Amino acid sequence: MQLSEQELLRRQKCQELRNMGIEPFPAELFPFTHHSQVAKHEFEKWEAQKEENPLKVVLAGRLMSFRIQGSASFAELQDEKGRIQLYFRRDDLCPTEDKSLYNNVFKKLLDIGDIVGVHGHLFRTQLGEITLHVTQFKLLTKALKPLPVVKEAKDDSGNAITYDAFSDAETRYRQRYVDLIVNPHVREVFRKRTRLVNVMRRYLDALGYLEVETPILQPLYGGAAARPFKTHHNTLDMTLYLRIANELYLKRLIVGGYDGVYEFSKDFRNEGMSRFHNPEFTQIELYVAYKDYEWMMDLVEEMVEQIAIELHGQTTVRVGQNDINFARPWKRMTMFEAIQHYTGVDISQMNEEQLRTTAQKLGVETDATMGKGKLIDEIFGLHCEHLLIQPTFITDYPVEMSPLAKKHRSKPGLVERFEAICNGKEICNSFSELNDPIDQRERFESQVELGMRGDEEAMTLDEDFLRALEYGMPPTAGLGIGIDRLSMIMTNSASIQDVLFFPQMRPEKKVHNATVADFKALGVAEMYVPIIQKLGFWTIEDFKKNTANKLHNDLCSMRKKMKLENVPNPTQEEVESWLSHS
RNA sequence: GAUUUCGUAGCUCAGCUGGUAGAGCAAUACACUUUUAAUGUAUGGGUCCCGGGUUCGAAUCCCGGCGAAAUCACCA
């Protein structure tokens, strides 16, 4: 591995610290008393009460910047809750003649990114910033890689300006730890995501529903239209699929007698990736017995409204250019009404041929395999969905698109299903669950037929699920909410990668350069490897193309140029032996 | 999967019609006892993503690859 100048330097500093008896990676715990923000609040109280005794605290965190001014210095310490300024003064840290703790350890051997613990008392600088006057500090972890340095300032009106923001998307996603260190708003996004999940959990627990876990490895995948990931179990010698949904398992639990079950489930779909799609994503699915989809709409709008209030203190959330208001009640319209509203065409009474003609007139690309349901869905997708910015329930979907939903109680050809659309995207999907095992079998069979015709996303027939239904599942309302999608809206994130800590990426390319060990195998001492690399020989092949004379010459002159005084020049014979080594 | 754009120092980015690789921050050295994008002076730091081609000469032009982003298609 080729180390940069700064990395080499930090390794040297580590050694110097050890030489001074300072362990750069100490084992013992560090008992801090406050987080930065708490300390600041306490200091404000302390000021208000006009206390005499100084307010002493112990903090721990990462050094994010230095402003050194001779025998006094300022630094920024960042901990989980924020930042606080530190003030170091030489003669406080080093009351005796020996000033090396300040002059060497602090000024020379600490770096941006190092993690330290500090003791001291709080005060306010002349410029009014609450600051810790450090009386004692301890290195807790040395950082061997330099961090991106992001600088912040305030403009005249007090708005924060960021300079040199660490913004390269690829590096941010691949090295999320760095992103989290230097971009505080990223830490905040993920806190919001967790709070969002917690609100849901609290809400559903309060209703008495049971949080459960169901298999991720499934012999049959089902519950959604999607292509799965396939894997293999060695002992059982069988194919298993990573779940694409947990619907069929949760409904088995309703058959088993629980009134309400839910699961935050990681699902896996072997499909394209985009800023709305990651191969693994999180959904909450909820099933409640003795309810229907009308009831479920009330639950969704109440629960999501609570999320908005919890995260933003209000029902309105800014997303891109739009202010989205989650206040109940949300608008409700049937799919036919939505299409009529946005296209002016009433398709509710049309047969397949009329629908096809209408779809074509409306600019939908059609083909012969598309049935009534698909045509309606396409029209809706093209002309309605992206226009629905405020949260809206779209109800009553064509039966062909919904093989697990119950037929509508009064509208033939439709099912009791709704989606909530928000910011032009679906955020949830729900229906009165199909519990008639005969009907369910027929729906599965028509899915199997689609599969035979080449639809890779068609569902498979799950005999055990049908057997469960035959024992009787009460009327049940079911719901799925995409946690990632909802998090994007609630955190105003443009890409799903911004709400996943570790979004799926292609592997980083491995440069097949020769390693130190490869050179050692030729008999080359490790100390010569940096020189060889500096000369531009990255592979053994390139290295061996040299003649002994030239290589010896180059090595000696580069050694001099690199000022490696403690590395002796190799002898001509040594160099010859490397090149002749097979 | 298709199209477009991008890949240069630890970070953010310049680099024109091809001619020895640049800035700011970070680093190193010196100065500076309440600064805050601290400041001043000096110094070091590069596989210009990888591989071919054209050319006397390629970070730059061409071809191929790898990686990323945006848009589209499928999907949540």
Side-chain angles (χ1 to χ4, degrees):
Chain A
M1 184 177 55
Q2 177 76 343
L3 295 176
S4 71
E5 184 192 30
Q6 293 195 43
E7 289 173 299
L8 287 167
L9 194 67
R10 284 176 182 230
R11 279 166 162 76
Q12 280 167 24
K13 288 180 179 182
C14 258
Q15 192 51 52
E16 284 176 50
L17 285 163
R18 286 199 166 108
N19 294 346
M20 297 176 79
I22 296 169
E23 170 53 45
F25 300 96
E28 63 275 14
L29 60 77
F30 185 83
F32 64 91
T33 59
H34 293 71
H35 277 118
S36 54
Q37 296 311 14
V38 179
K40 284 184 187 176
H41 287 141
E42 287 209 5
F43 181 73
E44 279 165 354
K45 275 191 270 172
W46 178 90
E47 276 181 322
Q49 289 164 1
K50 299 199 160 62
E51 292 267 353
E52 294 276 315
N53 298 324
L55 180 55
K56 289 186 177 172
V57 295
V58 183
L59 309 176
R62 199 184 282 277
L63 291 166
M64 298 303 285
S65 77
F66 291 101
R67 290 182 287 276
I68 291 176
Q69 308 178 53
S71 61
S73 299
F74 293 90
E76 299 265 339
L77 183 83
Q78 173 171 288
D79 62 19
E80 195 198 309
K81 306 293 183 200
R83 286 192 183 193
I84 189 167
Q85 180 169 263
L86 307 179
Y87 178 61
F88 293 81
R89 195 160 61 179
R90 186 187 62 201
D91 298 333
D92 294 333
L93 287 165
C94 312
T96 65
E97 284 302 299
D98 177 12
K99 305 296 182 193
S100 64
L101 183 65
Y102 179 81
N103 285 339
N104 294 332
V105 180
F106 172 73
K107 270 170 72 174
K108 294 198 194 294
L109 299 176
L110 289 190
D111 285 297
I112 290 177
D114 289 353
I115 297 169
V116 297
V118 287
H119 295 248
H121 61 268
L122 294 162
F123 74 108
R124 210 179 264 277
T125 63
Q126 287 179 357
L127 288 164
E129 179 153 351
I130 299 172
T131 300
L132 183 77
H133 188 135
V134 177
T135 51
Q136 225 185 88
F137 68 90
K138 180 181 183 186
L139 177 60
L140 300 176
T141 299
K142 184 80 191 149
L144 296 182
K145 277 189 180 293
L147 282 177
V149 176
V150 180
K151 297 229 173 188
E152 280 186 9
K154 296 244 166 79
D155 66 10
D156 295 342
S157 39
N159 302 315
I161 314 168
T162 306
Y163 296 89
D164 298 334
F166 176 61
S167 56
D168 177 63
E170 181 171 358
T171 323
R172 286 184 47 224
Y173 300 148
R174 287 194 195 279
Q175 302 186 42
R176 182 68 88 182
Y177 34 89
V178 176
D179 193 27
L180 289 165
I181 293 168
V182 302
N183 288 326
H185 58 277
V186 174
R187 285 201 299 277
E188 190 49 35
V189 163
F190 287 100
R191 271 205 197 94
K192 281 208 172 94
R193 179 182 169 127
T194 296
R195 279 164 65 200
L196 179 157
V197 169
N198 289 344
V199 173
M200 286 191 175
R201 183 173 279 128
R202 263 203 324 266
Y203 181 92
L204 297 173
D205 286 349
L207 291 170
Y209 305 146
L210 186 68
E211 181 169 8
V212 299
E213 293 177 273
T214 62
I216 292 171
L217 290 172
Q218 305 181 347
L220 288 175
Y221 59 95
R227 279 139 69 199
F229 286 92
K230 197 173 173 181
T231 186
H232 183 260
H233 188 281
N234 289 344
T235 304
L236 296 175
D237 189 22
M238 68 184 288
T239 296
L240 288 169
Y241 300 93
L242 272 61
R243 72 176 164 206
I244 58 170
N246 53 358
E247 170 152 1
L248 302 184
Y249 283 94
L250 292 179
K251 286 199 268 199
R252 285 170 170 97
L253 298 179
I254 296 294
V255 171
Y258 295 111
D259 276 354
V261 290
Y262 70 93
E263 178 174 14
F264 289 97
S265 83
K266 245 325 174 40
D267 292 341
F268 306 83
R269 297 190 184 174
N270 206 340
E271 293 170 343
M273 290 164 64
S274 75
R275 69 192 180 96
F276 293 102
H277 301 86
N278 194 65
E280 52 183 290
F281 66 102
T282 307
Q283 260 199 111
I284 180 175
E285 289 198 35
L286 165 72
Y287 293 85
V288 185
Y290 310 110
K291 308 295 185 194
D292 63 8
Y293 78 135
E294 300 273 357
W295 177 90
M296 190 62 91
M297 272 187 260
D298 297 339
L299 179 141
V300 168
E301 60 185 11
E302 184 173 50
M303 185 164 71
V304 175
E305 185 194 59
Q306 271 191 23
I307 291 169
I309 292 169
E310 169 89 13
L311 267 52
H312 296 96
Q314 55 184 33
T315 57
T316 304
V317 180
R318 183 83 184 172
V319 183
Q321 300 303 306
N322 302 310
D323 286 311
I324 296 180
N325 191 349
F326 289 97
R328 287 178 292 161
W330 299 355
K331 205 189 293 172
R332 298 183 186 192
M333 58 204 321
T334 67
M335 191 169 241
F336 289 149
E337 285 166 357
I339 289 173
Q340 182 162 17
H341 180 259
Y342 286 106
T343 68
V345 183
D346 178 7
I347 60 167
S348 62
Q349 306 302 319
M350 289 186 181
N351 63 27
E352 188 170 325
E353 263 329 291
Q354 292 169 310
L355 267 175
R356 191 177 305 279
T357 318
T358 307
Q360 283 161 354
K361 261 190 240 164
L362 291 170
V364 175
E365 285 184 31
T366 62
D367 63 63
T369 69
M370 293 165 79
K372 244 179 112 168
K374 185 77 181 163
L375 288 166
I376 295 170
D377 196 56
E378 290 288 324
I379 295 172
F380 179 78
L382 190 64
H383 289 281
C384 308
E385 191 170 14
H386 64 282
L387 298 170
L388 294 163
I389 301 302
Q390 297 302 323
T392 307
F393 289 117
I394 301 295
T395 63
D396 301 344
Y397 283 61
V399 64
E400 295 90 335
M401 310 297 298
S402 316
L404 301 166
K406 198 170 214 169
K407 280 179 182 146
H408 199 281
R409 63 194 76 179
S410 61
K411 300 174 183 166
L414 301 181
V415 291
E416 298 204 347
R417 171 178 174 184
F418 73 84
E419 291 188 358
I421 315 277
C422 173
N423 205 34
K425 279 274 166 191
E426 171 191 343
I427 57 169
C428 84
N429 185 11
S430 168
F431 24 88
S432 301
E433 299 296 331
L434 177 54
N435 64 345
D436 174 347
I438 309 286
D439 188 358
Q440 183 68 78
R441 181 176 292 277
E442 286 168 6
R443 306 266 200 107
F444 273 146
E445 279 167 354
S446 59
Q447 285 290 310
V448 170
E449 210 171 293
L450 283 178
M452 311 266 266
R453 292 215 312 246
D455 184 345
E456 287 185 89
E457 294 174 350
M459 294 186 190
T460 50
L461 191 150
D462 187 333
E463 281 291 352
D464 177 70
F465 175 67
L466 290 170
R467 179 168 61 187
L469 288 190
E470 284 167 10
Y471 284 100
M473 181 174 81
T476 296
L479 168 73
I481 299 181
I483 297 294
D484 314 289
R485 294 276 178 85
L486 188 59
S487 297
M488 285 170 67
I489 290 174
M490 289 293 175
T491 61
N492 191 14
S493 298
S495 161
I496 197 168
Q497 292 159 305
D498 291 325
V499 298
L500 297 168
F501 273 126
F502 304 105
Q504 195 59 242
M505 304 284 275
R506 285 198 167 79
E508 286 180 79
K509 78 164 172 263
K510 291 198 180 65
V511 188
H512 45 276
N513 284 337
T515 63
V516 172
D518 293 333
F519 281 109
K520 273 183 166 173
L522 299 178
V524 181
E526 187 169 346
M527 59 189 172
Y528 297 126
V529 174
I531 309 177
I532 292 165
Q533 289 173 334
K534 188 79 184 175
L535 286 167
F537 305 121
W538 297 92
T539 62
I540 298 295
E541 204 185 7
D542 285 351
F543 179 66
K544 286 211 156 193
K545 279 182 195 158
N546 285 288
T547 62
N549 245 332
K550 178 172 188 306
L551 183 60
H552 184 246
N553 251 322
D554 287 350
L555 274 176
C556 295
S557 60
M558 183 58 80
R559 185 205 67 94
K560 196 172 172 191
K561 198 171 162 194
M562 291 169 77
K563 294 178 188 150
L564 298 172
E565 276 141 28
N566 43 7
V567 175
N569 275 329
T571 63
Q572 176 95 22
E573 290 71 34
E574 272 183 278
V575 175
E576 275 167 19
S577 77
W578 302 340
L579 294 181
S580 58
H581 198 284
S582 54

